Amino acid sequence: MKFIVCSLLIVLSCLPSSLCSKVSKRIRDFKQLQIKQKRVAVNSNDAIINKIVRTYPREFDVFVLFTTLSEQFGCVSCPAAINDFELAAQSYNQGVASSEYAGKPHALFLIAELMNTQASFKGFKITSVPHIGFFPALDELIERDVWIEPEIAQQKSMMSAEGMVQFISQKSGIDFQIYRSHAREKVFFLLSLIFMLISIKLVAKDWAGLFGIVRSKKTWLIFSFVVYTFSVSGGIFDIVRSAQLFNINTKTKQINFFHPQYNNQFVVEGFFMGIANLLCGWTVALLTFKVPKIKNSALKSMAIGACSIA
């Protein structure tokens, strides 16, 4: 009798550890995919989604970005959404690692591209992209042929990095901020410091020349052009948000200079707008001060038309 009781206790004590090891194996396999792909948000297929999302019980949350890179669907915001989702996933992991949640089961992140996950799109009834789906942890044992639809972030604003972070924080119950790389700012600061040192060295040799440059109207005219262009281009926005220079579609290799989201921009896009505004200012100045001095009526008419079009 004692032998039977002891055997039952041993079996019961082993059951939870076996379940935990099963979950741990899934997480270990997921981390191997992260290492292989060098991403936090793993590019998935139907098999990966079935293993990570649809194998129950599941003791961790899963966030899935449903998207497509196929040209036939013409989704201009999808490539940017993938980059923002990766940034949100990285920020989540860094926030979890540096908080009281460290060491506890937390969310995993998957990217479901339509051409690789058509069965998942059909099963979860995803009809538009891009969308983020939230799959909360489930302790129940559910049959494989049952498709549990995710909670979808409906607002378009959720497709920015900030909106994704807000949605993930709400659903996971973990507050975190976006962690952006400041490498570009450090390089800019270093270059500015080098330029300053070189300028000081040159100025020290010729003070009279320095005062001549400072008193020159052309110097302040050029300076005002630079400041104006930087201001209207959203340069401060780019520095604070660590905006990309531009985006390259990983499949078509097409370069996108204009951000598809209405509340975001690329660095190159901003300077395009800044230079365009500067050109408009120049045409107004020409139309006001230079064109009236043209004596030839035909040439003056052409100048007025060119400035007006510009």
Side-chain angles (χ1 to χ4, degrees), residues 25-41:
K25 184 179 184 303
R26 276 200 287 176
I27 294 178
R28 286 198 301 271
D29 292 342
F30 181 82
K31 289 184 177 179
Q32 288 297 323
L33 288 172
Q34 288 179 319
I35 295 171
K36 183 178 180 181
Q37 298 184 11
K38 298 180 180 179
R39 297 180 60 89
V40 175

Side-chain angles (χ1 to χ4, degrees), residues 10-213:
I10 291 171
V11 170
L12 290 173
S13 64
C14 289
L15 283 175
S17 62
S18 64
L19 289 174
C20 290
S21 64
K22 184 177 180 181
V23 172
S24 299
K25 184 179 184 303
R26 276 200 287 176
I27 294 178
R28 286 198 301 271
D29 292 342
F30 181 82
K31 289 184 177 179
Q32 288 297 323
L33 288 172
Q34 288 179 319
I35 295 171
K36 183 178 180 181
Q37 298 184 11
K38 298 180 180 179
R39 297 180 60 89
V40 175
V42 170
N43 290 310
S44 60
N45 52 36
D46 287 323
I48 293 175
I49 289 179
N50 286 336
K51 182 177 181 179
I52 300 297
V53 180
R54 300 186 60 241
T55 299
Y56 305 99
R58 175 169 37 77
E59 298 184 4
F60 49 85
D61 300 333
V62 182
F63 291 92
V64 181
L65 174 66
F66 294 96
T67 185
T68 182
L69 294 176
S70 176
E71 289 185 350
Q72 68 184 86
F73 296 100
C75 180
V76 295
S77 62
C78 285
I82 292 174
N83 293 332
D84 288 340
F85 188 68
E86 173 66 15
L87 176 60
Q90 292 175 358
S91 302
Y92 174 90
N93 280 3
Q94 292 186 33
V96 167
S98 60
S99 69
E100 67 271 19
Y101 304 103
K104 298 181 181 179
H106 53 275
L108 305 183
F109 296 83
L110 296 173
I111 297 174
E113 203 280 323
L114 175 60
M115 303 309 293
N116 299 325
T117 56
Q118 294 186 27
S120 299
F121 267 73
K122 182 178 179 181
F124 293 131
K125 298 180 181 179
I126 305 299
T127 57
S128 61
V129 290
H131 278 305
I132 298 179
F134 170 61
F135 298 86
L138 284 176
D139 295 331
E140 302 175 10
L141 185 62
I142 300 175
E143 297 181 3
R144 178 56 64 86
D145 58 348
V146 176
W147 292 81
I148 300 178
E149 296 180 25
E151 298 180 42
I152 298 294
Q154 299 292 347
Q155 296 88 351
K156 289 184 178 180
S157 60
M158 291 295 182
M159 288 302 103
S160 65
E162 286 73 15
M164 292 178 182
V165 167
Q166 181 183 353
F167 178 75
I168 294 167
S169 296
Q170 289 174 353
K171 297 303 178 182
S172 65
I174 297 177
D175 293 326
F176 64 100
Q177 302 295 325
I178 294 180
Y179 289 83
R180 298 182 186 274
S181 173
H182 297 287
R184 187 183 302 164
E185 289 83 350
K186 292 178 181 178
V187 171
F188 179 76
F189 175 77
L190 180 60
L191 293 175
S192 300
L193 183 62
I194 293 172
F195 176 77
M196 188 184 304
L197 293 174
I198 293 173
S199 300
I200 292 172
K201 185 177 180 180
L202 294 174
V203 166
K205 294 180 179 180
D206 187 9
W207 287 101
L210 171 63
F211 287 120
I213 294 173

Side-chain angles (χ1 to χ4, degrees), residues 194-248:
I194 293 172
F195 176 77
M196 188 184 304
L197 293 174
I198 293 173
S199 300
I200 292 172
K201 185 177 180 180
L202 294 174
V203 166
K205 294 180 179 180
D206 187 9
W207 287 101
L210 171 63
F211 287 120
I213 294 173
V214 171
R215 296 177 64 182
S216 173
K217 293 182 179 180
K218 291 182 179 179
T219 299
W220 292 106
L221 181 63
I222 294 172
F223 179 75
S224 63
F225 286 161
V226 172
V227 171
Y228 177 80
T229 304
F230 182 81
S231 300
V232 300
S233 68
I236 301 298
F237 174 90
D238 294 335
I239 293 173
V240 172
R241 303 268 308 259
S242 296
Q244 295 176 275
L245 286 174
F246 48 83
N247 182 69
I248 301 178

